[in-house]
Amino acid sequence: SKAIGGRSFRFYAPAMNERQHRLLALESELHRALERKEFVLHYQPQASLRSGKVCGVEALLRWNHSERGLVAPNDFIPLLEETGLIDDVGLWVLRQACQDMRILAAEHGHAPRVAVNLSARQFSSQRLAEQVAGVLRDTGLPAEQLELEITEQMLISDLESSRATLESLRELGVTVAIDDFGTGYCSLAYLKRLPLHVLKVDRTFVSGLPDDGNDLAIVEAITLLAHKLDLQVVAEGVETAAQLETLRALGCDMVQGYYLSKPVPLSTLAGAATLTV
Ligand code: C2E
Ligand code: CA
Ligand code: CA
Ligand code: CA
């Protein structure tokens, strides 16, 4: 292979090796992170606009790195997905979130519903419902206290197997939310025909409230549509009182965002769970 490529080979090879090296190093670091229990979950409360109280939380993954500190998911989840490690980490997240809610319930008498993000690989796995059932059985969390978040793209990439997966999740009693709603390419017709429960309005539409007329129209339309289809609406990324009041006026069901609370570790969630809007 020495003869092939000549000068350009020598020029490009070290750069590629370096990138591959970094990815390999990161991959084995992520392997070790799972073994060393360096992954942690933070929980962000969601409040009902009807009762004003916290009714749910979203589990959000962090990597507690010995040197780099708390690493955000966007910095490592893509690699977990690429390497397939997301299968193990995703199952760990599911189990940990259910366990944590049981701990909270044991200490405080009750726990909010917990929403867990699924990766595309997890959602397309034939074993998803079986794994969810196993985790619920092992942890003792009631199925109605678990919500799974998927995106529009995951739903439509294989509509028939999505439908089968959603049906078996519904049979278990688990609810399903469409995350980042409005940013993908979901045909509205699908929404009506699939067993879904919640639409999470993406924060890019919330951020323009209350002044941006387009965002106002989009959020209002999504809310009307969702309610006609018997779906609940959660607004994500709510950062100001004005946004919250606008969402309330538009008939949105729940809010989640820094205005209510940032994602917090389990140890401080009980305090955050008493917040009101
Ligand atoms: P997401 O599911 O859309 O989660 C919401 C993200 O918005 C979180 O970022 C959250 O911290 C952030 N956020 C919440 N409120 C506000 C706000 O008021 N303003 C702003 N600017 N941001 C807000 P985070 O925790 O960095 O997570 C990023 C993404 O990583 C998530 O987006 C989700 O797609 C993915 N992710 C997180 N945990 C998991 C997991 O356990 N499994 C999988 N497959 N993906 C995960
Ligand atoms: Ca989410
Ligand atoms: Ca989201
Ligand atoms: Ca997102």
Side-chain angles (χ1 to χ4, degrees), residues 37 41 49 68 72 84 105 108 115 125 133 135 153 156 165-166 173 179 182 185 199-200 216 220 241-242 245 255 258:
K37 307 191 193 318
L41 294 180
L49 288 176
R68 283 185 275 165
H108 301 275
S125 162
V135 168
Q153 284 89 339
I156 61 173
T165 302
L166 292 172
D179 204 359
Y185 303 92
L199 290 189
K200 297 192 77 178
L216 212 54
E220 183 175 23
E245 290 317 321
V255 290
Y258 296 165

Side-chain angles (χ1 to χ4, degrees), residues 83 164 169 235:
T83 57
L169 291 173

